[in-house]
Amino acid sequence: MMEETWTSAALVALTIGLWATARLPEYLVALLFFAAAAILRLAPPDVLFSGFSSAAFWLVLSGFVLGTAIRKVGLADRIARTLAIHLAGSWPRLVGGVVLLSYALAFVMPSNMGRIALLMPIVMALAERAGLAEGSRGRIALALAVGFGTFQLSASILPANVPNLVMVGAAESAFGVHLSYLPYLLLHAPVLGVLKGLPWWPVSACCFRPGHGPSRSRHRPRH
């Protein structure tokens, strides 16, 4: 038992060290960890791979896959070109549109991380088309709008994020309380959704306003 404990500790320390030093790609380090733990029989397979049976894991993974795919095939730029026609005419409209888009996507796609991975390439392409340089205050504002709109506002929608799902499971198992979609939405959306999102729109638009706005000719979609 003591030898197995020390072996497990050494494997965990080695894995963390490889992640910290970036000597190997992160995905390869994770695969080597699972392979070594399985070969050395440090834990039963159902315990070792239990995380892969979690719905939250697959929600996050699918979001990253979708986000990478739409960036690689150029879909992000095409969506950004469509949005730019309606949003890039003014700075407040651009910020407000990104916040609204982040909140609206929560109704149809669960997992905060998945939505961020999906939206960020689109919004960065939109910023590019609006003439906002990389690292500029305008791009920072749009990135914050995606993060805030995705994480904070989605708390008003019951299945929109993992913490809500954990809360529902804990409430049912510990107290026998069953939460339903529509009553939860009607109770929380006015405050956690609308009243939270409305102040963020002018605050981010004013505090992170670009130093000099791009000309209208740069707002026109590229062909």
Side-chain angles (χ1 to χ4, degrees), residues 7-99:
T7 303
S8 301
L11 179 60
V12 170
L14 179 61
T15 302
I16 295 175
L18 289 174
W19 274 334
T21 58
R23 291 283 184 176
L24 295 174
E26 295 177 351
Y27 74 90
L28 182 58
V29 175
L31 291 176
L32 290 175
F33 168 80
F34 283 115
I39 293 173
L40 297 175
R41 297 183 179 180
L42 299 179
D46 57 336
V47 175
L48 182 62
F49 300 102
S50 60
F52 294 99
S53 63
S54 169
F57 169 80
W58 292 107
L59 287 175
V60 174
L61 180 62
S62 62
F64 279 114
V65 172
L66 287 172
T68 302
I70 66 170
R71 185 174 64 251
K72 292 293 185 181
V73 302
L75 182 59
D77 189 63
R78 290 196 293 272
I79 295 175
R81 183 167 61 246
T82 303
L83 292 175
I85 298 175
H86 305 285
L87 300 180
S90 71
W91 171 243
R93 190 192 309 164
L94 180 59
V95 176
V98 171
V99 174

Side-chain angles (χ1 to χ4, degrees), residues 28-222:
L28 182 58
V29 175
L31 291 176
L32 290 175
F33 168 80
F34 283 115
I39 293 173
L40 297 175
R41 297 183 179 180
L42 299 179
D46 57 336
V47 175
L48 182 62
F49 300 102
S50 60
F52 294 99
S53 63
S54 169
F57 169 80
W58 292 107
L59 287 175
V60 174
L61 180 62
S62 62
F64 279 114
V65 172
L66 287 172
T68 302
I70 66 170
R71 185 174 64 251
K72 292 293 185 181
V73 302
L75 182 59
D77 189 63
R78 290 196 293 272
I79 295 175
R81 183 167 61 246
T82 303
L83 292 175
I85 298 175
H86 305 285
L87 300 180
S90 71
W91 171 243
R93 190 192 309 164
L94 180 59
V95 176
V98 171
V99 174
L100 183 61
L101 178 63
S102 301
Y103 187 37
L105 192 61
F107 284 93
V108 296
M109 182 179 180
S111 172
N112 288 328
M113 293 299 295
R115 287 196 303 277
I116 290 176
L118 179 67
L119 278 175
M120 197 61 75
I122 297 174
V123 173
M124 290 300 101
L126 179 60
E128 182 71 25
R129 302 195 68 84
L132 300 173
E134 187 173 351
S136 64
R137 293 170 62 86
R139 284 213 181 197
I140 293 173
L142 295 184
L144 288 175
V146 171
F148 181 87
T150 299
F151 178 73
Q152 294 290 340
L153 305 185
S154 66
S156 62
I157 306 169
L158 189 59
N161 57 39
V162 175
N164 280 8
L165 299 178
V166 173
M167 178 191 66
V168 170
E172 289 185 357
S173 61
F175 304 105
V177 177
H178 178 70
L179 301 178
S180 300
Y181 180 91
L182 191 57
Y184 185 93
L185 180 66
L186 294 177
L187 178 63
H188 293 287
V191 177
L192 296 182
V194 177
L195 291 183
K196 256 188 174 183
L198 285 179
W200 174 250
W201 179 7
V203 167
S204 59
C206 293
C207 293
F208 292 92
R209 190 176 186 87
H212 53 280
S215 62
R216 286 196 173 271
S217 62
R218 300 180 72 175
H219 292 320
R220 295 172 183 170
R222 301 171 185 172

